[in-house]
Amino acid sequence: MDIAALNSTKSLRKSVLSWMCLCFGFLSFAFAVFNLTVNNFALLGYIEVFFSIYCFFTYISLLRRPLRFWQSIVMCALITLIVILATTLATPHNGVFVWSFALPILFYLLLGKQYGVVLSASLLVIQSYILGTKSSLSPFTTFNLSLNLMCAYLSIWAISHVFEGSRAHFSKRLKNLALLDPLTGAGNRLSMNHYFEVELQDKSQLYVFLLDLDFFKQVNDKHGHAVGDQVLVEVATLLRVTLGKGYVFRVGGEEFALFCSFPHEDEALNAAEKIRADIENTHFKIDGLVINITTSIGVAKFRSSNTLEGLINQADKQLYKAKRFGRNKVYCKFKKEPKLEKVIA
């Protein structure tokens, strides 16, 4: 499955911004010519020329590169500035202020709910102040018209707010369903692949702990799968708490992969030993039962030539040694095991 298919927010915002840039590029250039030649609004005209050039530049950039958040911020800021400036320079009779009604939709689509609230409220206050200080209030001399315009803006704002909130909520739910293990809440293999290939930029200090619960089948056979599932949930929670700054993924029935960065090998080894000891010393109390389990851990350090599959295979080899030589142990390539050196070699 392609992880990019789940990132609907970025895809939506890139699509919206691309078409906005193309449309506003041509539209702004037309308005610039009109304001420079007919309305004699030189300042506004030159700003619109600059805005038109920026729109075309951003459109070409989006065809070649992923969307960056600052591009959405700059676009919304420039459009807002132009609308406010045009409202200040023109008379209300020209109707330039009407562009304000489209801005809450753009704020929410491009920047999200939090920015949408702040910018929509700020725009309403600023535009209301500008229009209220005009010497000629035509066509706002009728109270009903002013009231209808205000209600229309508030309605568009409210609809944009509800729509973006619902869209973001369901997008997050869909992503969680695809990326999280439904039982333990840990990441699944798809999530692990995405983290390693996309999110994790600096891998120079990355270590992987491959962890397998010892004789876990006996827990299922003796107490039932319901109890075994609850043990897995408790173990996943313990791993997240103990590891702290790292990431926990469930990659098999009772097998977990832990990703974390450490500056030194000794720190990685001590962290793995702490996880092993915490699991051994924890009494899992489930449905009146006290379950004691142990775990074997294989540790691998990332090398520049490693793929994710290669890194996991390295950790799996060390996990095999830990299980072969007694279980409830931590093994890694850089750990000295003098008594077993010949056997391991």
Side-chain angles (χ1 to χ4, degrees):
M1 183 179 181
D2 183 9
I3 187 68
L6 296 173
N7 205 343
S8 60
T9 297
K10 283 189 176 180
S11 299
L12 172 66
R13 287 177 180 171
K14 182 176 181 179
S15 179
V16 169
L17 186 58
S18 295
W19 283 103
M20 270 183 58
C21 289
L22 191 61
C23 294
F24 277 111
F26 287 109
L27 195 61
S28 182
F29 183 77
F31 272 115
V33 172
F34 185 76
N35 283 323
L36 289 172
T37 59
V38 178
N39 285 340
N40 292 322
F41 291 151
L43 176 61
L44 182 59
Y46 288 127
I47 290 177
E48 287 172 336
V49 169
F50 167 77
F51 179 63
S52 178
I53 295 172
Y54 175 79
C55 285
F56 290 129
F57 173 79
T58 303
Y59 177 77
I60 295 172
S61 175
L62 290 173
L63 292 177
R64 300 174 179 176
R65 302 182 185 89
L67 171 67
R68 285 163 287 185
F69 187 64
W70 66 264
Q71 292 175 310
S72 298
I73 293 179
V74 171
M75 179 59 66
C76 288
L78 288 175
I79 294 175
T80 304
L81 175 64
I82 291 172
V83 170
I84 291 175
L85 182 61
T87 305
T88 304
L89 296 176
T91 61
H93 187 75
N94 287 345
V96 181
F97 64 90
V98 173
W99 284 95
S100 303
F101 291 87
L103 293 186
I105 301 173
L106 299 182
F107 294 154
Y108 278 91
L109 284 178
L110 292 179
L111 301 177
K113 198 173 176 180
Q114 292 182 339
Y115 282 94
V117 170
V118 175
L119 294 178
S120 297
S122 301
L123 179 66
L124 177 61
V125 172
I126 293 172
Q127 291 290 74
S128 297
Y129 174 77
I130 293 173
L131 292 172
T133 55
K134 292 286 184 180
S135 57
S136 173
L137 292 179
S138 176
F140 296 107
T141 52
T142 305
F143 175 76
N144 287 343
L145 176 59
S146 301
L147 182 62
N148 283 326
L149 289 172
M150 177 66 72
C151 290
Y153 183 89
L154 293 175
S155 298
I156 294 172
W157 180 5
I159 292 170
S160 301
H161 187 83
V162 172
F163 173 81
E164 174 59 21
S166 299
R167 187 207 59 77
H169 173 71
F170 285 109
S171 176
K172 184 177 180 180
R173 284 186 61 187
L174 177 62
K175 196 171 182 179
N176 286 341
L177 286 172
L179 298 180
L180 298 182
D181 173 55
L183 176 64
T184 63
N188 56 20
R189 283 187 175 272
L190 178 62
S191 177
M192 181 175 69
N193 292 342
H194 178 67
Y195 173 71
F196 182 84
E197 301 292 347
V198 179
E199 293 187 17
L200 187 60
Q201 300 297 321
D202 181 12
K203 301 181 177 70
S204 60
Q205 298 181 335
L206 176 66
Y207 289 81
V208 172
F209 303 165
L210 197 60
L211 177 154
D212 189 84
L213 302 181
D214 298 326
F215 304 111
F216 189 75
K217 185 176 183 300
Q218 296 179 7
V219 176
N220 285 330
D221 293 343
K222 184 177 181 180
H223 303 292
H225 286 279
V227 173
D229 287 349
Q230 192 58 41
V231 171
L232 290 174
V233 173
E234 296 291 337
V235 168
T237 302
L238 187 149
L239 291 175
R240 283 191 290 266
V241 173
T242 304
L243 191 62
K245 60 182 180 178
Y247 291 82
V248 179
F249 305 96
R250 187 186 178 196
V251 294
E254 64 271 11
E255 194 170 289
F256 295 86
L258 282 60
F259 284 60
C260 198
S261 296
F262 298 95
H264 303 291
E265 294 175 348
D266 289 343
E267 292 186 28
L269 186 58
N270 290 337
E273 288 284 1
K274 185 177 187 306
I275 290 171
R276 182 205 61 77
D278 285 352
I279 291 178
E280 180 185 20
N281 296 326
T282 298
H283 304 289
F284 298 100
K285 298 178 180 179
I286 300 168
D287 295 338
L289 301 172
V290 178
I291 310 295
N292 296 102
I293 57 174
T294 59
T295 186
S296 301
I297 303 176
V299 181
K301 181 180 180 181
F302 175 80
R303 306 295 180 187
S304 58
S305 59
N306 283 147
T307 61
L308 175 59
E309 183 180 1
L311 185 61
I312 294 295
N313 286 339
Q314 287 182 27
D316 193 47
K317 290 178 181 178
Q318 302 305 315
L319 174 61
Y320 173 77
K321 293 175 185 178
K323 297 177 81 70
R324 179 182 176 187
F325 295 115
R327 302 178 188 267
N328 192 26
K329 295 180 182 297
V330 174
Y331 266 78
C332 53
K333 195 171 184 179
F334 48 83
K335 178 183 177 183
K336 301 300 182 182
E337 296 289 344
K339 293 183 180 180
L340 301 172
E341 190 172 355
K342 293 182 180 179
V343 178
I344 295 173

